Amino acid sequence: MNRSQHFQDRFTQRHRKDRLFKSLTKVAMSIGFIALAILLTGILIEGLPWLSWDFLDRYPSRTPSKAGFKAAFWGSLWVIGLTTLMTVPIGVAGAVYLEEYSAKGRFAKFIELLISNLAGVPSILYGMLGLIAFVRMFQPTTDPTTFLGIQVPFGRSVLAGTCTLSLLVLPVLTIASREALKAVPDSLRLAAFGLGATRWQCVRHHVLPSAAPGILTGVVLSISRALGETAPLVMMGALTYVAFTPSTVYDPFTAMPIQIFNWASRPQPEFQSVAAAGIIVLLAVLLGMNAVVVLLRNRAERSKAA
Amino acid sequence: MKNPVIPRTVLEARNLSIHYGDSAAVSGVSLKIPEREVLAIIGPSGCGKSTLLRSFNRMNDFIDSCRFEGELLFEGVNIYGPNIDPVELRQRIGMVFQRPNPFPKSIRANITWAPRMAGYLGDYDELVERTLREAALWDESKDKLDKSALSLSGGQQQRLCIARSLAMSPEVLLMDEPCSALDPIATGKIEELIRGLREQYTVVIVTHNLQQAGRISDRTAFMYQGDLIEIDQTDRLFTQPAKKKTEDYITGRFG
């Protein structure tokens, strides 16, 4: 058979296109990488000289050389820690309900649409919601009274900040968890049901462990998002100048991005460098938390393969 | 096969119809399956044999669009009636699927999981050994019970899935083309295993492989486009089929 009768020989063109596309994808990757590298270098050069353990142990000050990050650092850890505790169970359980239990009808589609939309709502709106619903609880003042052992309204407290950020990241976590659950092959569920397992036994022992790596990726994304959010916290009235660390969930607080914003908006050039030092700490915390989750994820993946 | 006494009926379908949305997958099937019989269901793709099989332990419940008419009796009780717990039903009627689907856990855990969930009171080590022996997998796996089930070959995985089902001491074992993803050697081992299972269990097996149906089953049912065309002793169905469609199918004229 004469092959050229049946195939157009365009090897040169086909390979050229292949190489072209490879270069394009490389350029796309480089843009992101270079931008990040420039940003990081700038911040490291500016902030590193101001960074010390002392920086983490001082409260803010009017003098740049005495300014510290302690209140913001601990404020952020409180809020993020509590947000994680609040969102992970609720987000994952909600996703399990939608994916495993609820009938896949129009109502489920509608809920899905709502959640996707919520994930796209500007964060400042969550700040307004937090202010009205948690800080003030629909009352004109924030004078606290005790109700069932809980202090209400929450006021400008760690608890109000946690609730606000939780609402903000719940849709993100729910969507990511649902995707992870969707990726679990049905053959695994059928195997469990075929042996006479209940839905919960199947989910608890087979579906959730298989979905764990994907769910943990969602957790990384949502915690990172919560850690970096400034607008909703400012909107709900987190303080900008704080000379103490929270000791209960009802204490007022500030957070790292707020403190950084505060420093960066000051006229003295030294404060820009202090802000850079703050950014380095924020990034380090972010990396540290992500590292922990990645370790957990690798462990989940290994136990899946074993 | 000779049956000295009239055997007890374990499963009975009475005018059973199953629809997916608007299309009928099974229409008006009636049959009786006696105790300790191996029944093979054959027929071309899409004839409703897998749907029929899955209805025996209510695995169709997971398909939202699936509708069900008629009666299906297990030990004389309608399994689609009220007061029937599908979880209990599936413990008594086990299932082996087309593709081996072991849990991504150790070989031992694959077998012990379901009994543990169901509160098995016996000795778990004994259970693992007994079921692996029944599934002819013990010699190959006894030294690596704590290794991942995914490290087994496809045929071994399928035998593990059979062992896993046997661990629940089912009264009936449903098999949905259990050898279609396996090579001839693995298939041979599974067929031998099924012949041995007849001593204790009632087996219903769906297969595309006519020779396989001939080798392992006591009776064979032929289905075509949702109808049960013919059901008879396997040797008779393959040598003197009563219906023209059956003859056309087993002689390879269509399907």
Side-chain angles (χ1 to χ4, degrees):
Chain A
M1 180 181 88
N2 184 356
R3 293 185 60 86
S4 64
Q5 277 180 345
H6 300 279
F7 294 93
Q8 259 185 319
D9 283 330
R10 294 187 303 148
F11 292 112
T12 349
Q13 277 158 285
R14 284 164 64 194
H15 283 299
R16 197 181 299 145
K17 239 181 200 166
D18 189 28
R19 279 194 300 273
L20 178 74
F21 200 76
K22 184 184 171 189
S23 323
L24 282 177
T25 53
K26 219 174 184 176
V27 168
M29 185 276 296
S30 311
I31 290 174
F33 182 74
I34 292 170
L36 187 67
I38 292 174
L39 219 65
L40 278 182
T41 328
I43 284 164
L44 284 176
I45 290 173
E46 192 157 3
L48 270 183
W50 291 77
L51 206 60
S52 63
W53 289 115
D54 217 24
F55 179 67
L56 281 182
D57 205 34
R58 280 195 307 254
Y59 292 111
S61 161
R62 256 178 296 164
T63 2
S65 58
K66 286 185 188 162
F69 213 35
K70 186 173 185 178
F73 180 77
W74 288 105
S76 271
L77 287 194
W78 268 84
V79 171
I80 294 308
L82 289 174
T83 302
T84 311
L85 288 182
M86 201 178 274
T87 40
V88 172
I90 299 177
V92 174
V96 164
Y97 175 75
L98 288 173
E99 212 46 56
E100 306 289 330
Y101 283 96
S102 85
K104 307 268 176 299
R106 256 188 224 155
F107 183 67
K109 280 259 165 27
F110 179 64
I111 297 274
E112 193 171 344
L113 186 75
L114 276 187
I115 294 176
S116 315
N117 273 327
L118 279 179
V121 168
S123 58
I124 190 104
L125 292 184
Y126 281 99
M128 295 169 84
L129 176 70
L131 178 65
I132 295 161
F134 303 124
V135 176
R136 292 200 185 138
M137 290 200 174
F138 312 101
Q139 283 163 18
T141 65
T142 56
D143 290 338
T145 50
T146 306
F147 178 73
L148 296 175
I150 303 169
Q151 187 179 309
V152 288
F154 294 161
R156 299 168 175 188
S157 62
V158 169
L159 188 56
T162 300
C163 293
T164 309
L165 288 182
S166 295
L167 283 188
L168 175 73
V169 298
L170 258 179
V172 182
L173 183 58
T174 307
I175 290 172
S177 306
R178 281 193 70 183
E179 291 305 323
L181 292 171
K182 262 187 204 150
V184 176
D186 255 345
S187 62
L188 202 61
R189 295 185 181 89
L190 291 179
F193 293 138
L195 290 162
T198 61
R199 182 68 78 161
W200 168 242
Q201 289 173 334
C202 168
V203 167
R204 163 73 186 79
H205 294 271
H206 301 298
V207 179
L208 277 181
S210 280
I215 291 176
L216 285 170
T217 306
V219 172
V220 173
L221 286 175
S222 5
I223 306 181
S224 309
R225 167 109 194 254
L227 189 66
E229 279 295 346
T230 327
L233 293 180
V234 171
M235 187 71 213
M236 57 144 276
L239 305 179
T240 47
Y241 188 95
V242 182
F244 52 82
T245 54
S247 48
T248 75
V249 292
Y250 301 114
D251 287 339
F253 71 103
T254 192
M256 288 192 275
I258 300 178
Q259 183 68 68
I260 291 166
F261 174 70
N262 178 275
W263 280 331
S265 50
R266 294 205 187 174
Q268 303 96 315
E270 290 92 340
F271 269 117
Q272 307 302 319
S273 306
V274 178
I279 291 173
I280 295 172
V281 175
L282 177 62
L283 286 177
V285 171
L286 198 63
L287 274 178
M289 285 192 327
N290 287 0
V292 170
V293 178
V294 169
L295 279 178
L296 284 175
R297 191 171 63 195
N298 289 349
R299 226 177 62 181
E301 258 162 11
R302 233 178 302 134
S303 71
K304 228 165 101 177
Chain B
M1 289 297 130
K2 299 276 181 299
N3 289 306
V5 287
I6 296 171
R8 206 163 52 93
T9 298
V10 174
L11 277 170
E12 179 178 359
R14 285 185 188 159
N15 202 17
L16 185 72
S17 295
I18 305 172
H19 300 260
Y20 294 123
D22 293 332
S23 64
V26 172
S27 25
V29 167
S30 298
L31 56 80
K32 284 184 179 179
I33 304 171
E35 198 179 17
R36 289 179 201 177
E37 170 175 271
V38 176
L39 173 71
I41 307 178
I42 58 169
S45 296
C47 71
K49 54 194 187 312
S50 288
T51 301
L52 178 65
L53 186 81
R54 281 199 300 266
S55 68
F56 289 150
N57 68 344
R58 291 186 57 168
M59 291 300 277
N60 287 334
D61 288 13
F62 301 110
I63 302 167
D64 284 341
S65 67
C66 187
R67 278 183 306 116
F68 187 92
E69 282 159 38
E71 277 189 322
L72 226 172
L73 309 180
F74 173 52
E75 305 281 2
V77 180
N78 185 7
I79 62 168
Y80 284 82
N83 307 325
I84 292 294
D85 178 7
V87 169
E88 191 203 333
L89 179 76
R90 292 186 199 115
Q91 290 186 4
R92 297 174 61 187
I93 304 182
M95 184 147 213
V96 176
F97 298 83
Q98 189 169 357
R99 299 203 158 265
N101 56 353
F103 300 126
K105 298 178 185 298
S106 71
I107 293 171
R108 188 196 305 275
N110 262 276
I111 290 172
T112 57
W113 183 74
R116 186 161 283 140
M117 291 300 106
Y120 179 65
L121 297 171
D123 180 61
Y124 282 85
D125 288 332
E126 186 271 332
L127 179 74
V128 169
E129 178 169 347
R130 176 165 53 81
T131 53
L132 283 175
R133 277 189 195 281
E134 278 181 353
L137 189 61
W138 175 251
D139 290 333
E140 290 150 86
S141 64
K142 62 173 184 253
D143 298 322
K144 47 177 184 177
L145 292 177
D146 293 306
K147 291 258 169 59
S148 168
L150 302 180
S151 67
L152 298 172
S153 72
Q156 291 172 327
Q157 287 187 9
Q158 192 63 305
R159 274 179 280 152
L160 177 62
C161 291
I162 294 172
R164 179 174 75 177
S165 297
L166 298 181
M168 290 304 293
S169 316
E171 288 147 64
V172 180
L173 198 57
L174 308 174
M175 300 179 135
D176 190 356
E177 297 177 42
C179 301
S180 66
L182 306 179
D183 69 31
I185 295 170
T187 300
K189 286 191 175 159
I190 302 233
E191 286 183 5
E192 203 175 308
L193 162 62
I194 293 170
R195 278 195 294 267
L197 292 179
R198 181 167 36 202
E199 314 265 305
Q200 292 181 60
Y201 306 92
T202 306
V203 177
V204 186
I205 177 170
V206 161
T207 179
H208 266 132
N209 182 332
L210 300 181
Q211 286 80 18
Q212 180 172 69
R215 283 190 298 263
I216 59 175
S217 67
D218 303 312
R219 285 198 306 159
T220 298
F222 170 60
M223 284 184 73
Y224 183 68
Q225 293 185 342
D227 296 317
L228 177 65
I229 304 291
E230 188 171 350
I231 177 165
D232 208 338
Q233 302 296 325
T234 296
D235 40 11
R236 202 172 332 149
L237 185 123
F238 278 104
T239 50
Q240 321 153 8
K243 300 276 168 62
K244 180 81 171 57
K245 275 210 180 89
T246 315
E247 189 184 342
D248 286 350
Y249 184 68
I250 58 178
T251 52
R253 246 168 271 168
F254 74 87

